[in-house]
Amino acid sequence: MLFSKKDPADPRTDFERDLLVQARKLIPGDPPAPWRLQTVIDAAGVTAGGWDGGGRIVLISGSGCSVTDALTGQRLVRERDAEKTERRLTAGGLRFTVPDTGEEIGVFGLDGGDGIGMNADGWRLEVIYPWWPRASVIMENVFSREYRYLAGAVMLEIPRLDGWLKAGFSPSGEAFMVLGSGGAAVFAKR
């Protein structure tokens, strides 16, 4: 029976329970080749983030926003005016105007939706909850031979971030970041 339910108090199907068992067997570690951890950006109270056209990281918090170089982690711009930052958010928190360039970008995060979940090479990011309420991020390549969900997935070790997590690729697909209230972990191709 495909949708059998052995325990009436547990509404999950056998398939869903099997996926949970698989997810709980994943051990956090380094991303698969060709990806590597590029930098960790510490920023308290982050609620959203995104990428500008130059590949810089934009982080938004209740106390303002910052623009950081994605390769070095060096902060380039810091706007401490919370009201001005709030006015730069539009479209229900999904768009933001970057302070120093005036460029409007897409953002994702706690209130800003999800990031770009897959790149052109078939790499896919997903936030899962095998140990609810703890969030984990998995990465897998859906273009790999004989792809099966979670079979080749890697659970990412995310340094210095906990609580809520969101993940998304840059528009170019050459980098991705994991956001949390404590900042962002940025990964790039080797």
Side-chain angles (χ1 to χ4, degrees):
M1 294 181 58
L2 181 62
F3 296 107
S4 70
K5 294 181 183 173
K6 295 178 180 134
D7 180 359
D10 184 355
R12 294 174 296 181
T13 66
D14 289 344
F15 175 74
E16 291 166 331
R17 282 191 288 276
D18 289 344
L19 282 179
L20 181 59
V21 168
Q22 287 179 55
R24 286 183 172 173
K25 288 181 182 178
L26 296 173
I27 298 170
D30 293 332
W35 302 95
R36 65 173 165 69
L37 179 64
Q38 182 72 38
T39 189
V40 176
I41 303 167
D42 293 319
V46 171
T47 58
W51 307 83
D52 74 2
R56 303 178 311 168
I57 306 290
V58 178
L59 296 179
I60 302 163
S61 73
S63 62
C65 68
S66 64
V67 179
T68 304
D69 183 284
L71 296 176
T72 65
Q74 178 184 1
R75 185 172 40 207
L76 306 171
V77 176
R78 176 69 169 111
E79 172 63 62
R80 295 183 190 279
D81 188 332
E83 289 179 19
K84 187 186 286 185
T85 298
E86 185 69 28
R87 286 192 306 270
R88 292 177 182 275
L89 278 168
T90 60
L94 298 175
R95 309 286 300 162
F96 182 75
T97 303
V98 181
D100 65 325
T101 64
E103 175 186 7
E104 188 176 87
I105 64 168
V107 294
F108 63 97
L110 184 60
D111 296 323
D114 293 323
I116 299 170
M118 192 165 122
N119 75 1
D121 297 331
W123 289 103
R124 190 176 75 79
L125 298 167
E126 184 179 359
V127 177
I128 64 171
Y129 298 87
W131 304 102
W132 178 261
R134 180 177 297 227
S136 299
V137 178
I138 61 168
M139 182 177 209
E140 57 187 347
N141 192 303
V142 300
F143 293 169
S144 62
R145 289 192 138 164
E146 300 176 22
Y147 167 77
R148 281 188 7 257
Y149 182 64
L150 291 181
V154 173
M155 184 179 288
L156 299 176
E157 178 73 39
I158 308 297
R160 296 191 293 232
L161 294 181
D162 60 1
W164 68 269
L165 296 177
K166 295 281 186 164
F169 284 99
S170 64
S172 70
E174 298 296 309
F176 70 90
M177 72 173 141
V178 177
L179 286 177
S181 62
V186 182
F187 298 80
K189 287 185 177 179
R190 296 185 197 274

